[in-house]
Amino acid sequence: MKRIVLLGPPGAGKGTISELLIERLSLTHISVGDILRQNIKDNTELGKIASDYMSKGNLVPNEIIIAIVKDRLSKSDCQTQYLLDGYPRTIEQAKALDEFAAPEYVFNLYVDKDVIVNRLIGRRMCSKCGSIYHISKIDNDKVCPKCSGELYQRKDDNKEVVENRIDVYNKETAVLVDYYKDSERLINVDSSRDPEVIYKEIEKALND
Ligand code: AP5
């Protein structure tokens, strides 16, 4: 069984490393941020509620998020494995997860704040295939090199909201490092390196 959580501040590279892990290890990827953004796009009740919190960089209330993840993890494609990206973000979420589908591996992607801000301000996403880029690594910041879809900048990737997301991470989520360290599931990963190097380190830990 491979039940994996990717922890880390905004911009640590959770989405980028998830892309590599799901492509190569056949894991079911669950990104709470992606689920919420899809609901905003579809103008659902959940989307209307989440939008207020997300546009400011605050966390969506625990009871809403826990219900979404519990329901998603009850599906047949998550019974023996999952890759959780962006959940848990509070102690309450972590305790709930331990009750319904405890993770075996928690990779803590850590990186300096300056690097994070630069990464997020320069991030572009593909509206068609969801691929993640940085403007410093692509020739054209409007067109996806993989599928020719249109690239866009996330609404919460502006300096003011990014600063708040980092504060929220420090206040509410950073404490999870100790939570998982205490139960011996934590593996720290220096996320300032190349994604391929990070991927190899995670793959090795999963095979050890
Ligand atoms: P979410 O979408 O999860 O955003 P986040 O946690 O802030 O993380 P990001 O997606 O911004 O960053 P990332 O670590 O995935 O980095 P990425 O790989 O894209 O959540 C958004 C919002 O939803 C939250 O603010 C909250 O409101 C709500 N929400 C979500 N989950 C919730 C929960 N559990 N509870 C309550 N509310 C919740 O990379 C970023 C950039 O860096 C890219 O440009 C990329 O190309 C570049 N990059 C990545 N890795 C590297 C590398 N190794 N080297 C060089 N560049 C890199």
Side-chain angles (χ1 to χ4, degrees), residues 30-74:
I30 301 165
S31 159
V32 174
D34 286 351
I35 293 172
L36 296 173
R37 277 184 290 278
Q38 188 61 48
N39 274 274
I40 292 174
K41 202 171 160 195
D42 296 342
N43 205 23
T44 66
E45 282 310 308
L46 168 62
K48 285 176 198 158
I49 296 168
S51 167
D52 260 6
Y53 294 94
M54 293 173 78
S55 62
K56 299 184 185 91
N58 293 326
L59 295 184
V60 177
N62 280 325
E63 60 273 20
I64 296 177
I65 298 296
I66 290 169
I68 293 171
V69 173
K70 187 174 181 184
D71 176 65
R72 184 62 189 87
L73 290 180
S74 70

Side-chain angles (χ1 to χ4, degrees), residues 119-192:
R119 283 184 182 180
L120 291 178
I121 303 300
R123 171 168 56 186
R124 295 294 181 273
M125 309 282 300
C126 177
S127 55
K128 201 164 153 195
C129 71
S131 293
I132 305 165
Y133 300 99
H134 191 273
I135 48 171
S136 63
K137 302 268 169 63
I138 48 176
D139 296 331
N140 182 343
D141 67 358
K142 306 262 181 303
V143 180
C144 176
K146 280 187 200 156
C147 76
S148 302
E150 191 183 341
L151 298 184
Y152 70 96
Q153 184 170 26
R154 261 171 54 175
K155 283 193 178 140
D156 58 350
D157 279 351
N158 65 73
K159 198 154 190 325
E160 192 188 334
V161 178
V162 165
E163 292 284 347
N164 187 47
R165 285 161 62 198
I166 295 170
D167 284 350
V168 169
Y169 171 82
N170 287 330
K171 280 189 202 130
E172 312 234 20
T173 310
V175 65
L176 291 178
V177 172
D178 285 336
Y179 177 87
Y180 285 115
K181 190 161 71 183
D182 290 347
S183 56
E184 297 182 357
R185 287 174 285 180
L186 189 80
I187 299 165
N188 288 306
V189 179
D190 173 0
S191 187
S192 66

